[in-house]
Amino acid sequence: MSNSKRALVDIAILASIFFFPWWVGCIIAITACWFCDFYEIIFFGFLMDIFYDSGLFFHVGEHFISYAFTLMAFLILFILRKLKKRVRLNA
């Protein structure tokens, strides 16, 4: 994926985090991960954890920090990298 397309996908995911439900950003990010190694998904997962305040927490000092979307981003990136090696895209 070229840098200009990658920047457009970044802007689309960022806009979807602010203006659409959480699942729209997830669909765009998963699609982007399928076509290239989209490591930005980890940052966007962390950003979604900050804005949407998901249900999985861990305690740090006096604060609870949510990490469900970040964990999901790591899993998506790992699973899709393994899956792309096994699936042929051109027949």
Side-chain angles (χ1 to χ4, degrees):
M1 182 180 287
S2 68
N3 286 339
S4 60
K5 289 181 183 177
R6 196 174 194 100
L8 287 175
V9 171
D10 286 340
I11 291 170
I13 293 174
L14 193 61
S16 71
I17 289 173
F18 287 117
F19 300 115
F20 297 110
W22 64 270
W23 52 268
V24 175
C26 289
I27 291 171
I28 295 171
I30 291 170
T31 306
C33 280
W34 181 259
F35 292 109
C36 67
D37 289 331
F38 195 71
Y39 296 108
E40 295 97 318
I41 191 173
I42 297 167
F43 169 73
F44 290 125
F46 180 71
L47 198 62
M48 288 176 75
D49 281 332
I50 291 172
F51 287 121
Y52 291 115
D53 194 28
S54 60
L56 296 175
F57 297 102
F58 64 92
H59 190 83
V60 176
E62 298 175 1
H63 306 285
F64 288 101
I65 298 176
S66 167
Y67 63 92
F69 285 109
T70 306
L71 180 63
M72 186 171 60
F74 275 113
L75 288 173
I76 288 170
L77 189 62
F78 177 75
I79 290 170
L80 284 180
R81 286 187 71 191
K82 296 292 182 187
L83 189 62
K84 283 193 299 186
K85 292 179 182 176
R86 296 182 183 265
V87 176
R88 286 178 43 177
L89 294 177
N90 51 357

